[in-house]
Structures are given as C-alpha cells and as structure tokens.
Amino acid sequence: KQEVTQIPAALSVPEGENLVLNCSFTDSAIYNLQWFRQDPGKGLTSLLLIQSSQREQTSGRLNASLDKSSGRSTLYIAASQPGDSATYLCAPNNAGNMLTFGGGTRLMVKP
Amino acid sequence: KAGVTQTPRYLIKTRGQQVTLSCSPISGHRSVSWYQQTPGQGLQFLFEYFSETQRNKGNFPGRFSGRQFSNSRSEMNVSTLELGDSALYLCASSLSNNSPLHFGNGTRLTVT
C-alpha cells in the first residue's frame, strides 16, 4: 500500500525566498507523480506532472524532481510571492488514475 | 475550454438519507475519478471510471457507489449517510493514465 509523507507540514517565509518542499513515497512502482496546490475551500490545481522515466519537470518558477528508486520528489519554488500561499500536495500514481496523496505542506509567503 | 464542473456546490443531508453528486469532466476526457477530503484523513481515493467501466476502487464501504455515462459525465451515490461522511467530495478528469488530473471545486456535504 502506497504511503506518502510530505515535509515540512507547514512553512512560513518572507517574500522572495527560494523554497524546497519534500515528498517521499514507499512504493516506487509508479506511472507518474503529480504536484498540486489547493487554496482554502477550493479544488486542486495541477502544477506539474513528472513521468516515471523523467528526472525533472519545470514550469515557470516551479521545478519538480523525481528520484523513483529512492521514493523521493521535491518541488522547488523560486522567488516566492504572496500569491504562492496555499497547500501543496504531492501524489504518486500507481494504477490508472488512483493517486495517493500526502498530508500536504501549508505554505504562507509574507509580503 | 470549460473545466471540471461539480454540482451541487453544497449539500446538507440527515443521517440515513442518500445523496447523489454529479461531475461533468473536461470535454474529451474519458477518465473520471472521485476523492473524499476530510480534515482527519486527508484526500482519499474513492473510485475511477474510464469509458463507463470502473477501473479502480478505493477502500470505502459499499454504501459508496458511482457510475459513468456514455458522455463521460459521472455520478457518485452515498446511501445510508453517516455523520462521518461529511466531507469535501472532489471529482477529477484526465485524458489518460499519463495525463494530468484536473479537479473540480468539489461538493461540500454536511451530514447532520
């Protein structure tokens, strides 16, 4: 059974800092891994999807890496902004679209 | 392109009743999956449908069921509601196994 851990659980930083959010998972037989953000009371917004054969994926100020063999992924956020404040969730996909979610990292970026 | 649409947005039901939630996927997406989000358990997978067939099912009791129609729209049903079923129910659609999941804003169900 896949288990996902995200560290840290919460993070508060001043605007402009570069951040690293960590995700670890126990079952490395994954199709892909997705990172999402969730704003309070809303659904999830897809940020990045890394295929199992890829090492990293970039979109704007976001960069996600994947080390499948060690069961780790990181999300790097460059030059953080107050609008980045949200909960960030990672989710490996082991079968079909059956994602397993971590508990998330709650990020607060202060102006 | 319209996103994933879930209706209704909010629901209040009484213990013992049943409820049906609806999800319209992004046009062209044939995979629809459902998730339950609670403060205690976080996000948990309920089931996934692809071309009207249930492909995967999470670890939920049989009171939770779903279906998908030929136009890819999906419904989930919860019978004999319990207080613990109070949650945000999220629907997601995708083109395939290796495509991003796109989520709707969810239906918030409160059971009293």
Side-chain angles (χ1 to χ4, degrees):
Chain A
K1 181 192 165 194
Q2 180 73 276
E3 292 180 4
V4 182
T5 304
Q6 290 189 245
I7 294 173
L11 189 58
S12 180
V13 299
E15 182 177 4
E17 280 207 1
N18 300 325
L19 309 170
V20 176
L21 308 182
N22 296 292
C23 170
S24 61
F25 50 95
T26 55
D27 184 352
S28 61
I30 63 173
Y31 285 107
N32 55 57
L33 183 144
Q34 245 181 294
W35 281 92
F36 298 89
R37 68 173 278 169
Q38 185 175 30
D39 294 284
K42 297 289 182 66
L44 279 63
T45 301
S46 177
L47 297 173
L48 289 165
L49 180 145
I50 313 178
Q51 302 293 354
S52 61
S53 57
Q54 295 178 312
R55 296 287 291 185
E56 66 178 73
Q57 193 69 252
T58 297
S59 175
R61 295 182 295 108
L62 305 179
N63 175 277
S65 67
L66 175 65
D67 184 342
K68 202 175 73 157
S69 60
S70 68
R72 294 180 189 276
S73 178
T74 61
L75 179 67
Y76 176 83
I77 304 176
S80 58
Q81 303 171 356
D84 295 331
S85 298
T87 296
Y88 289 80
L89 297 146
C90 80
N93 179 2
N94 284 92
N97 282 316
M98 189 169 73
L99 272 59
T100 303
F101 284 87
T105 293
R106 194 166 57 253
L107 173 65
M108 172 73 73
V109 181
K110 297 171 288 187
Chain B
K1 203 175 203 183
V4 177
T5 305
Q6 291 188 246
T7 56
R9 190 79 175 86
Y10 300 95
L11 264 178
I12 301 175
K13 290 286 187 179
T14 303
R15 266 181 304 175
Q17 288 186 315
Q18 75 164 19
V19 66
T20 299
L21 312 182
S22 180
C23 173
S24 294
I26 292 172
S27 178
H29 286 193
R30 291 162 66 190
S31 167
V32 175
S33 47
W34 290 87
Y35 291 81
Q36 181 196 64
Q37 187 174 32
T38 59
Q41 299 297 318
L43 270 157
Q44 294 184 284
F45 172 80
L46 280 157
F47 29 67
E48 187 233 359
Y49 289 87
F50 186 89
S51 294
E52 301 180 66
T53 300
Q54 187 181 88
R55 279 203 304 195
N56 292 293
K57 189 177 192 310
N59 190 25
F60 278 82
R63 300 185 297 106
F64 291 81
S65 63
R67 59 178 177 168
Q68 186 180 32
F69 302 97
S70 58
N71 62 359
S72 291
R73 192 175 70 83
S74 177
E75 288 180 348
M76 69 163 279
N77 184 277
V78 189
S79 63
T80 319
L81 284 165
E82 300 176 0
L83 295 179
D85 297 333
S86 295
L88 180 65
Y89 290 87
L90 293 164
C91 167
S93 75
S94 175
L95 269 174
S96 69
N97 286 354
N98 277 323
S99 301
L101 262 67
H102 298 272
F103 281 80
N105 280 329
T107 293
R108 183 161 299 280
L109 172 65
T110 302
V111 182
T112 62

